[in-house]
Each structure stands twice: as structure tokens, then as C-alpha cells.
Amino acid sequence: MNAVQDGTGATPAGLEAVVAAHGGPPLRLTETTAGEMREAAATIAKILDLDDEDAAAEAINALLDRYPARPRLERVPERRWSLRATAPHDAPAPWLLSTAALALALWLSERGYCAWGRCAAPGCDRYFVDTGRRSPQRYCSTRCGTRVRVAAHRDRGR
């Protein structure tokens, strides 16, 4: 989502690079299939904007119904075994939707709440998946969190 939003992953080559950087299958995208991938990212973003577990579960289940994940254990080079949806190389957008639905379903079931969201820092609209174990994450990065805390500190000093 973030790569599409900020433009670095908006082109076919950019999307191919983002998928490859995250251990996805090698893709060969055209401008048409890249557009389909951007639309798929927008669909996933709607789920990431949800903070109600029931609504998120409904949306994820709807994706799983439409794009059934055929999960398989795969060894990613230099990583452990990973549960992944099988990737039809001729249908990258359905693969992305299936993969995202599977990942979000696992994350919601493991955490019990929507452990994802959009950065709360003013001027930032990047998404994050909360991997912390303490209080719920509110910012996409340490940089955004620090920027908000420094601004609040300065405002208190005025």
C-alpha cells in the first residue's frame, strides 16, 4: 500500500520490485496488470482502515470467498518456512488479494484485534502492521512517533 501511495511502486517495474523485495513470486507486469495490482492495493487499504474486528473479519472473509487462498508452506531463501498463498503468475491481482486476505486473517486471529492501521502523525498517511507486543502501535515509524512527541513537547513549552 505504501509503495503504491507514495508512487515508488506505482509502475509495473516498481510493483515487481516491491513484490520481489518482500519475498513474493517473480512477476512480469504490464501497465494493465499493474493497474489491477493498484486496484487490489486499494481494496486491501480499505481493510487496513478498519479498526472494528467484526467488520474486518467480514471484509477478510469476503476476500477469501472471492479469492480463495490455497496456502502452502514454502521456504523463502535465507528465511524460515513461510505460509503463502499459491501464486498464479498470470493473475497477479487475485494472488495479491488472496495473499493479503490470508495474512490479515492469520494476524487478526492471532492478535484478536485489528493490529494494523494508518499512521496517526499529521501529514502522514502510510499504513503499518503492528508487530509490537506492548501498547497498540499508532505510527508507521519511529520517526513519525518522535516527530509527534517533539511537536507536543514544544507546544507544552509555549
Side-chain angles (χ1 to χ4, degrees):
M1 271 29 77
N2 294 329
V4 169
Q5 256 179 223
D6 68 18
T8 61
T11 65
L15 287 168
E16 290 169 4
V18 167
V19 171
H22 291 280
L27 299 177
R28 285 287 178 247
L29 300 175
T30 64
E31 195 53 54
T32 300
T33 54
E36 292 167 358
M37 291 283 280
R38 290 188 293 271
E39 288 175 21
T43 298
I44 297 163
K46 290 177 185 172
I47 295 173
L48 294 176
D49 283 331
L50 296 172
D51 59 6
D52 174 76
E53 295 87 16
D54 294 335
E58 270 185 49
I60 292 166
N61 282 335
L63 274 184
L64 287 170
D65 286 343
R66 186 161 182 202
Y67 306 101
R70 293 185 3 242
R72 296 185 50 80
L73 286 168
E74 293 182 8
R75 183 170 306 270
V76 178
E78 305 199 17
R79 294 186 189 169
R80 298 181 294 191
W81 283 97
S82 182
L83 186 62
R84 296 179 172 252
T86 55
H89 297 285
D90 59 340
W95 164 78
L96 178 61
L97 290 163
S98 176
T99 297
L102 177 62
L104 291 173
L106 288 168
W107 205 241
L108 178 58
S109 67
E110 181 179 308
R111 292 299 182 100
Y113 62 94
C114 297
W116 55 69
R118 196 183 287 244
C119 186
C124 183
D125 61 353
R126 294 179 62 82
Y127 290 97
F128 62 85
V129 174
D130 186 350
T131 58
R133 296 286 178 202
R134 294 173 281 162
S135 61
Q137 185 171 332
R138 296 184 50 223
Y139 305 105
C140 68
S141 65
T142 304
R143 182 178 182 207
C144 276
T146 300
R147 188 168 41 90
V148 169
R149 283 190 293 281
V150 168
H153 177 73
R154 286 184 181 147
D155 286 346
R156 283 192 302 271
R158 291 182 190 175

